[in-house]
């Protein structure tokens, strides 16, 4: 799963060398924290959070094969976590 996230994010950004991914694992779950160049964070999150949502979905599918739940977060340069944008009421996120 870590290599999958590294592969995908590395191809989305202008500064792949700045990508760093921290992994914390428990018996029930695995958490991934992605740090990237400040100019690239938006590319990982995507419009309305669609890109990070797709990465989370695929990572969760892979984790489920191991009986775990995955969580993928994007960190700001200051170390705090980005809040993934939520669709506005009446907005169809699949458009």
């Amino acid at each position: 799963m870590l290599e999958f996230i590294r592969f995908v994010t590395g191809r989305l950004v202008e500064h792949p060398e700045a990508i760093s991914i921290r992994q914390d694992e428990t018996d029930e779950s695995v958490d991934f924290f992605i740090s990237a160049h400040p100019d690239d964070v938006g590319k990982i999150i995507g419009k309305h959070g669609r890109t990070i949502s797709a990465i989370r979905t695929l990572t969760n599918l892979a984790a489920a094969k191991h009986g775990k739940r995955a969580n993928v977060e994007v960190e700001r340069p200051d170390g705090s976590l980005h809040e993934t944008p939520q669709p506005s009421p009446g907005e169809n996120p699949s458009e």
Side-chain angles (χ1 to χ4, degrees), residues 7-88:
F7 176 83
V8 171
T9 56
R11 276 139 186 91
L12 292 172
V13 300
E14 294 294 320
H15 307 279
E17 72 283 352
I19 296 282
S20 112
I21 304 168
R22 182 170 47 90
Q23 177 179 333
D24 294 333
E25 192 165 351
T26 67
D27 290 339
E28 301 87 28
S29 67
V30 58
D31 298 325
F32 297 96
F33 300 92
I34 304 169
S35 296
H37 189 280
D39 294 342
D40 291 333
V41 170
K43 293 174 184 164
I44 294 171
I45 295 171
K47 187 176 180 180
H48 300 290
R50 290 183 183 132
T51 303
I52 192 63
S53 179
I55 293 169
R56 286 177 176 144
T57 298
L58 294 170
T59 304
N60 258 315
L61 289 170
K65 287 186 172 189
H66 301 284
K68 296 191 177 202
R69 178 124 177 97
N71 183 39
V72 181
E73 298 294 337
V74 180
E75 294 180 329
R76 290 187 170 111
D78 67 5
S80 64
L81 299 178
H82 271 278
E83 295 295 322
T84 303
Q86 298 297 315
S88 302

